[in-house]
Amino acid sequence: MVTREIVVGSSSRVLGHYDKPMWESISNRKWALQYCPESDSFRYPPSPICPDSLSMTYEWRPIKGTGEILSWAIFHRKYFDDFPPPYNTIAVRLDEGPIVISNLIGPEPEGDWIGCRVEVVYEDSGGVTIPKMRLI
Amino acid sequence: MSEAQLSNALSGAVAISGVGHSDWIADYAAVRGGTKPYDSFGYAALAFKRALEDAGIDKSEIDGIVSGPPTAHERMCEVLGIDPNWGAQADAMMGIQAAAMAIHSGMCEVVALVYGNDQRSAAVNYGGSNAAGGNAFLSYIYHAPWGFTSQGALYAIMLRRFMHDTGFTEADLGQVAVAQRLHSSLNPNAIMQKRVTIEEYLSTHYVTEPLHLLDYCLINDGGVAFIMMSAERARRGKRKPAVIHGIGRHDLSRDATSLVPRLTNFYRPAQKKVAEQVFNMAGVGPRDMSCLQIYDSFSVHIPLALEGYGYCGYGEAAKFFADTGISLERGLPVNTSGGHLSESYMQGWNHQVEAVRQIRGECGARQVPDCRYVHYSSDVAGKALSIIYGH
């Protein structure tokens, strides 16, 4: 069977109207998410309105950068020039509540990764700072 | 009227009276050989002609059109030469629901639902920063800075969590690919006709681990169309109609980009609601189903749907595979055509064709004996929808 390789250049960020302040905070190595004072909740990805309170007032609040692995997947196929396979991806439940996708760098757990505690590490790649995770 | 009364009014009111599709096997070979038989409109047009012929009606009877993506609705009407009273741009599942409501409310009488897709010859990307559907479903593209992309990856990471929570294994999942290849080997329209064993399944490479190659749907060109009308009118036609006894939908879009409904509840709340809607509406339950057609862009849809719709308890899909079975050889047959994994990837459209043919009893070697009810289910990117077809 022929397998096709999808190569679409380098990975790129979605930079919508509400994403830019978040990526600026990441460049400053102080990842901040939108926080709604009315519903007392963080949200991700950035968006115009709190889906709970419908408040359009929010503040950019730095997160602790710690959380727990909810699940993981290993890519064996090349989708991006800057991600040669194999490489890992993880879903992390931040202590503030939202779930983010990242990569686990450094030592990897043996067996089941779910439940492992992680913290953010900022990595510079191609002129952009990307928040990655490592075990704590 | 209450919500339940409104739904019940639609039960048994509308039917599919004709189906048609392009030549998936020949077109797959042609495209792999470097030629392109039709564009998306052409595949749809061929399927449309065949559906009209199957239903035994003339084009002039059509007064409603549903055009599936990726073809624009207005251009589709122009190409087919139809000026309808009602129309919509919708995928197979939402299109059937909309058409049923339009017919039942009197907006139109006979609806053609048409779909054509040149996704293979046009090299449509389902992964990468330009992945198809990224505007509607931000999760397809949002996590690209971490290399996380493709619909397959979304199901891979969901499956990993499901395995952790329930003890489900890769070998359990392989039962899906094995059963559906058994079915496609009995289907002269199926692109993949060679049976596979569980050992062969496990020896294929991972694409996004824990999903193997054979857990992924095909990518092929093709078209599908069907004709819908009132059940009463359909019964006067030349074909035995497949009557819609139940139809329902519930979405989980909240926090979809950050994968919350996938990873924390596997869309179970949506499926539970839809199960109540459609089984109550049809007045039947899971035990009354002769077979299931489940949208299978990835094999993992099957265990999740069996649990979500109450065919077994939560965490019991592996036990259901082992004790009951999901193939034509044993148990409750799922995706009797081979589905998206092995027949053709027509994004839910070919599942309706199979459901209709099973109800009519014209499936030959893969016919489910005494087929009374067929449950179609899809949960694509948080939109859970089900249809109960019957006589």
Side-chain angles (χ1 to χ4, degrees):
Chain A
M1 170 170 278
V2 178
T3 58
R4 294 182 311 152
E5 191 171 87
I6 301 170
V7 179
V8 291
S10 297
S11 65
S12 60
R13 296 173 291 173
V14 171
L15 288 176
H17 185 74
Y18 302 93
D19 294 299
K20 287 171 188 165
M22 182 185 77
W23 283 100
E24 279 169 24
S25 76
I26 292 168
S27 310
N28 296 328
R29 296 173 183 256
K30 282 180 187 163
W31 191 357
L33 295 181
Q34 285 168 306
Y35 171 79
C36 173
E38 203 170 318
S39 66
D40 184 28
S41 65
F42 287 82
R43 64 181 187 261
Y44 177 83
S47 65
I49 192 165
C50 172
D52 288 319
S53 68
L54 296 187
S55 169
M56 298 182 81
T57 305
Y58 55 84
E59 50 192 78
W60 286 99
R61 230 183 232 197
I63 57 169
K64 285 182 283 185
T66 48
E68 182 181 309
I69 296 178
L70 275 186
S71 192
W72 87 104
I74 311 290
F75 280 69
H76 291 266
R77 178 173 185 171
K78 185 178 172 184
Y79 287 96
F80 298 110
D81 292 340
D82 50 346
F83 277 91
Y87 60 93
N88 76 59
T89 54
I90 54 175
V92 176
R93 171 78 82 181
L94 296 173
D95 290 339
E96 288 81 2
I99 296 173
V100 299
I101 296 292
S102 190
N103 307 114
L104 185 69
I105 61 170
E108 296 180 353
E110 284 191 19
D112 199 346
W113 296 21
I114 293 170
C116 292
R117 295 281 302 165
V118 292
E119 67 179 358
V120 72
V121 185
Y122 296 96
E123 241 187 36
D124 294 319
S125 163
V128 178
T129 306
I130 306 290
K132 308 258 171 140
M133 297 282 174
R134 71 177 168 213
L135 292 174
I136 49 176
Chain B
M1 281 197 280
S2 73
E3 190 179 325
Q5 285 171 322
L6 279 168
S7 293
N8 289 340
L10 194 55
S11 178
V14 178
I16 293 183
S17 61
V19 295
H21 57 81
S22 58
D23 305 302
W24 297 316
I25 298 172
D27 294 343
Y28 187 74
V31 170
R32 283 167 71 93
T35 58
K36 178 166 179 154
Y38 301 99
D39 68 359
S40 292
F41 288 100
Y43 289 117
L46 177 63
F48 171 70
K49 275 166 65 91
R50 290 175 175 175
L52 282 181
E53 192 184 334
D54 187 56
I57 64 167
D58 187 77
K59 194 188 87 169
S60 61
E61 295 183 52
I62 304 290
D63 61 355
I65 292 257
V66 172
S67 314
T71 51
H73 176 67
E74 294 77 3
R75 175 67 182 148
M76 181 64 82
C77 292
E78 181 186 355
V79 166
L80 299 179
I82 293 173
D83 296 320
N85 291 331
W86 176 87
Q89 180 103 50
D91 65 27
M93 297 66 85
M94 291 188 287
I96 290 170
Q97 193 182 36
M101 293 189 290
I103 292 165
H104 190 58
S105 68
M107 293 278 178
C108 56
E109 292 185 13
V110 182
V111 180
L113 299 92
V114 291
Y115 165 83
N117 198 336
D118 63 355
Q119 56 192 339
R120 177 99 191 184
S121 59
V124 172
N125 284 326
Y126 292 100
S129 287
N130 64 345
N135 285 336
F137 308 107
L138 201 53
S139 61
Y140 294 178
I141 55 174
Y142 198 80
H143 311 294
W146 298 274
F148 187 88
T149 187
S150 82
Q151 294 167 41
L154 294 168
Y155 284 95
I157 202 163
M158 186 177 179
L159 170 64
R160 178 62 77 190
R161 180 74 203 195
F162 181 68
M163 291 163 72
H164 169 88
D165 286 1
T166 67
F168 195 81
T169 67
E170 291 179 20
D172 292 329
L173 186 63
Q175 299 299 327
V176 175
V178 170
Q180 292 191 201
R181 275 301 178 87
L182 167 69
H183 301 165
S184 64
S185 76
L186 303 170
N187 176 3
N189 295 312
I191 290 172
M192 296 295 170
Q193 303 223 352
K194 187 174 168 290
R195 293 191 190 189
V196 294
T197 64
I198 191 70
E199 291 75 23
E200 286 167 331
Y201 162 86
L202 288 168
S203 70
T204 61
H205 63 267
Y206 289 119
V207 181
T208 300
E209 189 181 341
L211 289 179
H212 290 83
L213 176 66
L214 296 183
D215 294 312
Y216 281 63
C217 65
L218 303 166
I219 301 287
N220 61 287
D221 283 17
V224 178
F226 23 89
I227 309 294
M228 287 177 65
M229 58 182 69
S230 72
E232 186 193 355
R233 182 167 176 163
R235 286 197 175 94
R236 297 197 300 266
K238 73 168 191 176
R239 289 284 191 183
K240 183 154 91 178
V243 176
I244 294 175
H245 291 267
I247 186 164
R249 170 183 169 184
H250 186 79
D251 297 3
L252 285 178
S253 292
R254 175 74 192 264
D255 290 322
T257 302
S258 56
L259 315 187
V260 171
R262 284 177 191 273
L263 295 177
T264 62
N265 59 43
F266 312 114
Y267 297 135
R268 281 169 178 166
Q271 292 173 327
K272 186 168 187 294
K273 275 196 176 176
V274 175
E276 286 166 5
Q277 289 170 9
V278 298
F279 289 133
N280 287 341
M281 185 172 165
V284 294
R287 284 163 189 261
D288 299 307
M289 297 302 116
S290 305
C291 62
L292 267 66
Q293 312 298 334
I294 299 174
Y295 190 103
D296 56 330
S297 45
F298 303 94
S299 57
V300 64
H301 282 292
I302 279 72
L304 296 173
L306 289 171
E307 293 190 4
Y309 283 97
Y311 289 90
C312 58
Y314 291 159
E316 292 179 357
K319 189 171 181 299
F320 186 88
F321 288 2
D323 295 353
T324 302
I326 55 169
S327 84
L328 284 162
E329 284 182 340
R330 193 171 66 87
L332 179 66
V334 176
N335 288 340
T336 47
S337 70
H340 289 154
L341 301 184
S342 295
E343 183 193 45
S344 180
Y345 178 46
M346 294 282 101
Q347 300 180 318
W349 293 75
N350 52 318
H351 291 77
Q352 317 311 321
V353 172
E354 179 69 6
V356 169
R357 288 177 171 162
Q358 287 287 350
I359 289 292
R360 287 177 178 173
E362 58 184 32
C363 285
R366 69 179 193 286
Q367 178 64 44
V368 175
D370 189 28
C371 183
R372 294 170 59 82
Y373 290 102
V374 181
H375 178 184
Y376 169 73
S377 142
S378 68
D379 56 270
V380 181
K383 293 196 299 284
L385 192 144
S386 273
I387 303 170
I388 308 292
Y389 290 101
H391 294 282

